[in-house]
Amino acid sequence: MCHVNIYRKMRRNRLLAIIAGLCCVLAASPCTSLIASGSATASGRPLLWKHRDTSAATNFIHRVEQEGKIGYVGLFNGGDTLALDQAWMGMNDAGFAIMNTVAYNLPENDPAWIDREGYVMAQALQTCRTVDDFEQLLRRLPRPMGVRTNFGVIDAHGGAAYFETCDYSFVRYDAADARQGVMVRTNYAYSGTPDEGMGYIRHQNVVDLLQAQIDTGSLTPASLTEGVSRSFYNSLTGFDMAESSDSWAVDQDFVPRYSSTASIVVEGVLPGETADTQVMWANIAYPPCSYVVAVTNSEVPPCVDATAADGTARAPMAVEAAELKALVFPVSRGSGSRYINLEALRPINEENYQKSLETYSNFRKTHK
């Protein structure tokens, strides 16, 4: 009897551990990102891209100005109270831009001080002008920093780098030292524990989809928002679900996934240009169900902004896209959210793809 009780207790503890692990996965933020130096892009401008995955259902973009600080445009969680003290991507008036992806193979955070990435990015946007400034900020922050992440940054002077950062240290990787001037990060750090973390298949998805453009130095923002963020290609199987005749697909290891809430590219400046020429190409919803709009430091379109200060802030575009997403993921009970209705997805994705292309074309015509 005693042995049976011990066995039951062991089995129960194991089950609890599995449940805890599943909860961590469900709460995780499996983002996908890329930094490209100007040598790798068609325009000669650096690119900073984040395909965001998060448990926060919606996002909005807002202009932040505080006395004595650098003004910036940032991505914020829908439902925020407009305290705006946590930014999840952004660009500022000095031409500096930042984003992040969680790195699950870096040392775990001190339990008393976790999930500080948004605070660090908001502080960086208000104080940093260069990639080197951001490195100095990381050196000054009190320990533990409360982060476990790959920060990606670019500036108006050609700087571009990832900082793989945990509570007590960081490792810097510069795009200038990278093969072909391009770096990709998902949810593991190159400096972290090998073969741990998440996002290895998504990392390869990005490389496979973009390699031809990387080889020819012809990357564009649309390569990311309209190429990778709308692709249902899986590099392990070599199969693109969206191009099949199947009616349903299992939502597994694609870049766009049920938890995806944005695909945003900051397109930096050319040498000698001022920071007001940088552009944030922003799709702030589940990317296949929405489209890109152009955001600058001086103009945030109302469709992606939010003004409610009572904790109900929502961008109109995000609300509209959520209705379309419900058609793509129509099964709500059980594990239904893991299943994509491809028959609903295809026309929605195509229509929004065309809207994005119009945005890119129209902006270029009026901002030559």
Side-chain angles (χ1 to χ4, degrees):
M1 186 68 176
C2 181
H3 290 297
V4 172
N5 288 337
I6 291 174
Y7 171 74
R8 286 176 176 170
K9 184 176 181 181
M10 290 174 62
R11 185 172 62 180
R12 178 177 177 274
N13 289 342
R14 184 180 179 188
L15 179 60
L16 290 173
I18 291 172
I19 292 172
L22 286 173
C23 290
C24 288
V25 170
L26 290 172
S29 300
C31 304
T32 307
S33 70
L34 175 145
I35 296 175
S37 65
S39 63
T41 69
S43 67
R45 303 171 185 272
L47 302 178
L48 182 73
W49 171 63
K50 176 177 178 175
H51 180 109
R52 189 184 187 202
D53 289 82
T54 178
S55 57
T58 61
N59 309 276
F60 65 91
I61 294 173
H62 197 73
R63 170 77 181 178
V64 178
E65 295 181 354
Q66 294 184 5
E67 186 175 354
K69 305 290 186 179
I70 302 172
Y72 74 92
V73 170
L75 178 71
F76 301 94
N77 287 335
D80 275 5
T81 61
L82 295 190
L84 306 178
D85 53 358
Q86 296 186 70
W88 298 103
M89 185 171 185
M91 62 183 187
N92 71 17
D93 293 347
F96 173 87
I98 188 169
M99 55 80 178
N100 81 304
T101 70
V102 179
Y104 293 105
N105 64 336
L106 291 176
E108 293 189 17
N109 293 124
D110 184 318
W113 199 247
I114 62 174
D115 298 333
R116 302 288 299 176
E117 290 86 359
Y119 293 104
V120 172
M121 287 190 283
Q123 184 175 349
L125 286 163
Q126 291 184 312
T127 61
C128 295
R129 297 178 177 276
T130 67
V131 173
D132 290 341
D133 286 348
F134 181 67
E135 178 173 344
Q136 293 307 310
L137 173 62
L138 291 181
R139 294 188 183 280
R140 292 193 307 269
L141 287 175
R143 269 52 172 170
M145 287 187 277
V147 302
R148 190 188 189 195
T149 196
N150 303 313
F151 288 116
V153 296
I154 62 172
D155 64 31
H157 307 281
Y162 276 110
F163 291 81
E164 299 184 349
T165 312
C166 60
D167 272 343
Y168 296 96
S169 63
F170 62 85
V171 178
R172 175 173 171 170
Y173 294 84
D174 284 280
D177 300 325
R179 181 176 178 271
Q180 297 176 293
V182 176
M183 300 185 291
V184 177
R185 293 293 188 277
T186 52
N187 300 113
Y188 66 95
Y190 282 26
S191 60
T193 304
D195 299 322
E196 294 188 5
M198 301 167 61
Y200 289 89
I201 294 173
R202 280 183 287 114
H203 187 292
Q204 192 60 44
N205 294 353
V206 176
V207 173
D208 287 358
L209 290 167
L210 298 179
Q211 192 61 62
Q213 294 174 65
I214 293 173
D215 288 343
T216 56
S218 58
L219 286 174
T220 68
S223 304
L224 300 159
T225 64
E226 308 313 303
V228 181
S229 287
R230 295 189 189 276
S231 172
F232 289 83
Y233 166 76
N234 183 304
S235 58
L236 184 64
T237 64
F239 189 61
D240 189 334
M241 287 292 183
E243 295 180 358
S244 75
S245 59
D246 295 346
S247 298
W248 292 88
V250 177
D251 187 25
Q252 182 67 45
D253 292 319
F254 305 126
V255 172
R257 47 211 285 143
Y258 184 81
S259 58
S260 296
T261 64
S263 178
I264 298 177
V265 179
V266 173
E267 187 173 18
V269 304
L270 293 170
E273 287 185 334
T274 57
D276 58 5
T277 61
Q278 68 184 346
V279 184
M280 177 186 285
W281 302 100
N283 181 336
I284 62 161
Y286 176 66
C289 290
S290 193
Y291 56 93
V292 162
V293 299
V295 178
T296 65
N297 280 314
S298 60
E299 183 178 1
V300 178
C303 63
V304 297
D305 205 344
T307 56
D310 59 356
T312 62
R314 297 289 188 277
M317 178 179 286
V319 174
E320 179 182 341
E323 296 176 358
L324 296 176
K325 182 181 178 182
L327 301 177
V328 174
F329 293 93
V331 184
S332 58
R333 64 184 182 182
S335 58
S337 62
R338 298 179 184 271
Y339 292 87
I340 305 169
N341 183 334
L342 292 175
E343 292 182 354
L345 169 73
R346 292 186 186 100
I348 292 172
N349 195 21
E350 178 62 26
E351 180 180 354
N352 284 287
Y353 168 74
Q354 294 298 331
K355 288 181 179 179
S356 290
L357 295 187
E358 290 176 11
T359 296
Y360 282 113
S361 176
N362 292 337
F363 186 88
R364 295 306 186 197
K365 288 178 182 177
T366 56
H367 293 76
K368 291 183 178 179

